[in-house]
Amino acid sequence: MSTQAVAVTPRAARVRPDWMRGWRRRETLVAWLFILPSLIGFTVFYLVPAIRGLYISFTDWDLLSTPTFVGADNYRNLLQDGDFRHSLWVTLYYVLLNIPLQTMLGLIIAVVFDRFVHGSGWRSLLLLPWLMPNVIVALLFLWLLDPGLGIFNVFLDAIGLPKQSFFGSVGQAMPTIAGVNIWRFVGYTALLILAGMQRIPKDVYEAGAIDGASETRMFFNITLPLLKPVLTFVLVTSVVGSFQIFDTIAVTTKGGPVDATRVINWFIYQQAFERFKFGYATAASLILFVILVIVSLVQMRLLNANESDLA
Amino acid sequence: MVLKSRMTRRTFAAGALAAAAAPAVIKSANAADSVEIKYMLWDSNQQPAYQACADTFTKANPNIKITIQQLGWDDYWTAIQTGMVSGDLADVFTNHLAKYPELASKSQLVDIQPMVDHDKVPTNIYTGQLADLWSRDGKRYGLPKDWDTISVVYNADMLTAAGVDPKVFDEWKWNPKDGGDLAQLVAKLTLDESGKNGLDPAFNKSKVKQYGLAMGLGDPYGQTGWSLFAASTGWRFMDKPWGTKYNLDDQRLIDTMTQLSSMSLEKGWMAPEDQVTSLKTESMFTAGKTALVFHGSWMINWFGDNTKFKFGFGRLPTGPEARICMFNGLADSIWTGTKHKDEAWAWVKYLASPEAQDIVGTYGVVFPAIPAADQKAKAAWAKKGEDVASYLDQAQQKDGTFLFPIADHASEYTSIMTAAMQSIALGKSSPKDALTKANKDVNKLF
């Protein structure tokens, strides 16, 4: 039976040549072939787990026994969970510490490189922190900033300033983590912005220069407006990434001290892997997902991402 | 966190050897069929000792091959969990008191009581109540392999410099009102940058060069710190094992935390919590930042390997009611998903037997659960130059220990109490406020 089916198909194809041979059709087929590998990946690793996640979020499940359906209980409990709300605020605080400074510094570095520093050697230096694995970066700073043995405190002490506890202090922990991640990502951000700047035609600047515009004026009236699509991309991706901060915290503070760095992802991790409440944790993940979709849409709308003055 | 390095691993009993030191032979349909039993443990220091047990065991049971897998504490519990879910976990693994109730409630641990009864394995040969810790409602989830207690670890050079004889540890006292001898000694051992000690009126607490004591006050169980002081006032976590009500808002615990935290927050004699959190007390000790720490017997070899100066172990201070510390013990458990339950049981039974515990004892890595094997461990340590009598004396002293507060909801407890104790240690809230709230939150779980 199966041999028959195999034999039949090619013959049918041969009978209808335009159907298979039309170049449009073939191009579409090739396109699908190219998309296929990532489509399989997307389906297996994202789509199916996401749909399954949606189901899990309506259950009480400890990973080892069969899930029991509990309706919207998880969501209802989450909304009343003070720890969950606290983790949302803590995450927002981190994003506010992280993104504005990181983007601004990235922009400044990009301008400096675009206008004054040339040569790819210097540019690759920008990427060095980004090439290091997050965990290594976190460990590195954990030791550098250690209140007892860290070299940074030795410097502070040497110039007469009091030692700081950084990761160990309720007030300093989050700014310290934000600082570490700014250090790691600012070069990458700068490089993306730099690439955007180099798309801007040089004659625009020449025209500006002939008209007697200063560097500052050209930055605000030429560079910034023409950079909008790239800036939008940088902001959307870095804000989404920032909301999902996890690794630095897992390595350094583990949500402490006194829950000062218990961001939403750490909350989710604790619920799932320390308390075996997978349904509850998945519901929290889905809330995070919804928040991120809204944040991204608002950002794109505010920045009119689809419009570029260059087009 | 605290629990992490705590336990040593002990062996299980293999039935065969237990009774007569004559290894029992496991019945197998076909003697030529070799069965592999995978065994997991987290303390790499103990691996050689258990490999030796495995070799002896396989000699007696040629059809059972033991493969030991070692993973560090953090990876260990993740691997246990994922192994259970994926259906590919070691047959036998070293278990911890803070972890096993949850695993047992999810039907992941074999109840070995029927096998204990069948093979008439004695459960009264172990130190204190170690065997009882692994039993609940008539079911048993492990046989004891080891125990641990706490001692004070001192930097001998710093003691000499301060003119203190280590003999003080034989008879020193603590109370929650003014800290007693302990507070005086800790103050004396604290030096600021100009060399003035903590008792000097001109002592500058913001420029401390050497602390008298480092203690992880922010720990949820306070195994190597606050719990031994609180217990010395007569306080207990709960009134019985498997209790459903914690006594965390008890005045005695509040007073204890007030006295201990004042030594760091007000006096500057005890290392600040932020330093302790990042470095751990043991590293502060080996780095010469503190003269004293309280630590567990599972750390004896670590101190031996990492300390570059003369140091020693001393007895705990005596509190208003007792000289006491937490008593904790590991056991080996069988996973319900094992395909070779009989062979796994044979290995567990062997590890808890006098023969295996003697082998482990001779390695001097941990105190085995059987008293006679402890003497072997003590002798092995003596050969390495460590006098471990303070740990052993504490375990053998009448009413010298209280049991780890075994209960359900350990992971929630840990999370609530870590935040509460950290906020006390960092001076963010008063012991009364933090503990009253924590007690309410914890007891709500039951």
Side-chain angles (χ1 to χ4, degrees), chain B residues 151-192:
Chain B
S151 285
V152 65
V153 191
Y154 59 85
N155 180 321
D157 299 340
M158 290 180 182
L159 252 57
T160 310
V164 176
D165 187 322
K167 279 200 178 65
V168 296
F169 299 123
D170 295 341
E171 291 299 335
W172 59 326
K173 290 192 165 40
W174 172 85
N175 68 67
K177 212 184 264 163
D178 62 11
D181 304 337
L182 175 114
Q184 294 299 305
L185 181 60
V186 167
K188 202 170 174 186
L189 289 168
T190 305
L191 298 176
D192 68 10

Side-chain angles (χ1 to χ4, degrees), chain A residues 62-64 143 146-149 157 165 168 170 257-259 262 273-276 278, chain B residues 81 84-85 102 106 108 207 274-275 278-279 287 289 411-412 415 419 422-423 426 428:
Chain A
D62 64 8
L63 207 62
L64 294 167
W143 284 108
D146 185 277
L149 300 177
D157 201 41
S165 49
V170 175
V258 203
D259 297 340
R262 187 157 73 188
F273 296 98
E274 287 180 7
R275 302 189 184 182
F276 295 90
F278 281 81
Chain B
Q81 197 178 318
M84 284 172 178
V85 174
E102 191 137 40
K106 298 190 191 321
Q108 296 301 312
K207 295 268 178 205
D274 53 3
Q275 293 199 23
S278 67
L279 281 180
K289 301 241 170 208
S411 53
E412 283 99 334
S415 159
Q422 280 183 349
S423 70
L426 293 166
K428 293 285 165 191

Side-chain angles (χ1 to χ4, degrees), chain B residues 39 49 62 64 68 75 88 105 110 112 120 172 193 241 256-257 290 302 308 401 414 420 424 428 437:
Chain B
Y39 175 55
I64 306 177
I68 299 182
D75 298 331
D88 181 29
S105 73
V110 171
I112 57 171
K120 300 193 173 55
W172 59 326
E193 279 170 6
T256 299
M257 290 308 289
T290 178
W302 188 92
K308 305 278 175 256
T401 57
T414 300
I424 295 172
K428 293 285 165 191
K437 181 176 181 301

